[in-house]
Amino acid sequence: PYGEVTVKRSFLKGKEVTCKPEFADVKRIANEKGLPVKEVYNQIMAQIIQGDSRQAAGGRNKAGTRIRTSNKQQATGNNRKR
C-alpha cells in the first residue's frame, strides 16, 4: 500500500547484519498517508521480515510495497565504507 521503498542492507564480512527502510521514504509515506513515522517504519519492517525471495530480489511483496535495496559494506567496528 506504500509504493516504492528503498531498503538499506549493511554487510559485515560478507554477511548481512542490518536491513532497514530509508528514512526519507518512510517520512514521505507518513506525510502522504497522514500516519505517524514510527507506525509506517514498523509496518515496513514487518513486511521486510515477512518477505519472500521475490521481495528480497526487488519484487513486490504481498502487501503491494515495492522494496528497492541499497547495499552498504561495513568494515570492522563503526567504520563504514561509503
Side-chain angles (χ1 to χ4, degrees):
Y2 294 139
E4 190 164 282
V5 177
T6 300
V7 174
K8 294 185 284 188
R9 299 169 59 212
S10 298
F11 297 85
L12 178 64
K13 297 181 181 180
K15 293 185 180 181
E16 187 172 336
V17 292
T18 63
C19 183
K20 60 185 178 179
E22 181 68 53
F23 182 76
D25 289 347
V26 173
K27 186 176 177 181
R28 173 185 50 80
I29 292 165
N31 288 335
E32 289 173 359
K33 303 287 185 181
L35 297 170
V37 171
K38 187 169 185 164
E39 180 179 331
V40 172
Y41 180 90
N42 289 341
Q43 289 179 3
I44 292 171
M45 284 301 296
Q47 291 177 17
I48 291 168
I49 292 166
Q50 295 173 8
D52 57 26
S53 60
R54 286 178 296 139
Q55 176 185 347
R60 287 197 183 271
N61 63 18
K62 293 175 184 171
T65 299
R66 181 166 167 72
I67 305 297
R68 186 177 64 226
T69 60
S70 171
N71 297 333
K72 291 190 176 189
Q73 297 292 326
Q74 284 189 342
T76 57
N78 290 328
N79 300 324
R80 289 188 179 183
K81 293 180 182 176
R82 294 182 191 244

